Amino acid sequence: NAGVTQTPKFRILKIGQSMTLQCTQDMNHNYMYWYRQDPGMGLKLIYYSVGAGITDKGEVPNGYNVSRSTTEDFPLRLELAAPSQTSVYFCASSYSAGHQHFGDGTRLSIL
Amino acid sequence: GDSVTQMEGPVTLSEEAFLTINCTYTATGYPSLFWYVQYPGEGLQLLLKATKADDKGSNKGFEATYRKETTSFHLEKGSVQVSDSAVYFCALPNSGGSNYKLTFGKGTLLTVNP
């Protein structure tokens, strides 16, 4: 049982490039989330999904897009990368309220 | 709105010292409460939870008691180890129909020295 798997683990982008952060879960959870964690800071919710085909904005959605075509996958797309998007990105999933399962994160630097 | 206020860090302790990390919350009703832990280089993982007032959650020697009178959920451990060095987050579900979303505290970095 792999849980929540994120790829890649590390990435360096140039300003203006785009990329997709992959997230997949094998627990058949309906709820999935994307967070960013800036150095020394807490978590900020970027986007979330309550099921396949349904997504919604969190606190800090600008500059990002998501899709949820299957229960398992919830990719996060960065368009026109900016230095302010340098962060650690975490994907999480949950079956019910409270207990979220996290991936190990993608460490993204934009130079 | 719902909020969590967590003790500012960093906290540095010697091995076998007593640990307390304070957490207070503002919420409608009596939500479940959670402590998550993030070890270096990893994602968050659930450490313990309490689902109703006066419940005590416990795991790996850590405990936290849900106190509705003081709206608190302080994390404690009687004797910390070097392996407990991590960031600790207090969290509660959003109220109303979006309780699958969590509000996290800002996190408290704990460093335990041998």
Side-chain angles (χ1 to χ4, degrees):
Chain A
N1 193 341
V4 179
T5 302
Q6 292 185 239
T7 56
K9 295 189 183 304
F10 304 93
R11 184 73 185 267
I12 298 174
L13 280 182
K14 294 182 179 179
I15 295 170
Q17 288 185 320
S18 58
M19 76 165 293
T20 299
L21 281 66
Q22 301 292 344
C23 174
T24 187
Q25 53 96 3
D26 62 0
M27 296 171 283
N28 202 33
H29 287 167
N30 283 331
Y31 304 108
M32 295 189 74
Y33 317 84
W34 275 105
Y35 296 92
R36 59 177 288 171
Q37 183 179 37
D38 298 330
M41 305 293 286
L43 297 170
K44 295 182 179 179
L45 183 64
I46 305 171
Y47 270 96
Y48 65 97
S49 169
V50 300
I54 307 170
T55 63
D56 207 348
K57 297 177 180 178
E59 301 174 69
V60 290
N62 292 344
Y64 307 94
N65 277 300
V66 293
S67 59
R68 184 97 183 269
S69 57
T70 66
T71 299
E72 295 78 18
D73 299 309
F74 191 41
L76 177 72
R77 178 83 177 164
L78 277 72
E79 305 282 3
L80 297 175
S84 61
Q85 294 176 306
T86 292
S87 190
V88 182
Y89 291 84
F90 288 101
C91 179
S93 71
S94 69
Y95 173 75
S96 61
H99 187 177
Q100 294 184 10
H101 300 256
F102 284 77
D104 284 338
T106 294
R107 286 147 184 81
L108 180 63
S109 293
I110 299 163
L111 306 175
Chain B
D2 300 339
S3 66
V4 175
T5 302
Q6 199 175 327
M7 178 175 143
E8 293 277 335
V11 174
T12 303
L13 296 173
S14 298
E15 209 164 22
E16 300 184 2
F18 184 85
L19 168 70
T20 300
I21 300 177
N22 291 339
C23 172
T24 58
Y25 67 91
T26 302
T28 302
Y30 302 106
S32 297
L33 298 171
F34 303 86
W35 277 101
Y36 279 79
V37 59
Q38 183 181 27
Y39 298 106
E42 298 183 9
L44 280 71
Q45 55 185 275
L46 182 66
L47 178 61
L48 55 83
K49 67 178 182 181
T51 57
K52 60 183 187 294
D54 299 325
D55 258 4
K56 178 185 286 188
S58 62
N59 187 25
K60 299 182 180 181
F62 290 88
E63 292 183 339
T65 301
Y66 189 154
R67 304 279 188 203
K68 67 177 181 180
E69 310 82 15
T70 54
T71 60
S72 65
F73 192 53
H74 304 323
L75 183 68
E76 297 181 335
K77 187 173 186 181
S79 176
V80 294
Q81 306 300 312
V82 172
S83 57
D84 294 326
S85 297
V87 182
Y88 293 83
F89 294 91
C90 188
L92 80 160
N94 288 10
S95 57
S98 60
N99 63 353
Y100 46 87
K101 291 192 286 182
L102 292 174
T103 296
F104 287 93
K106 292 185 176 180
T108 302
L109 173 63
L110 170 66
T111 301
V112 180
N113 295 318

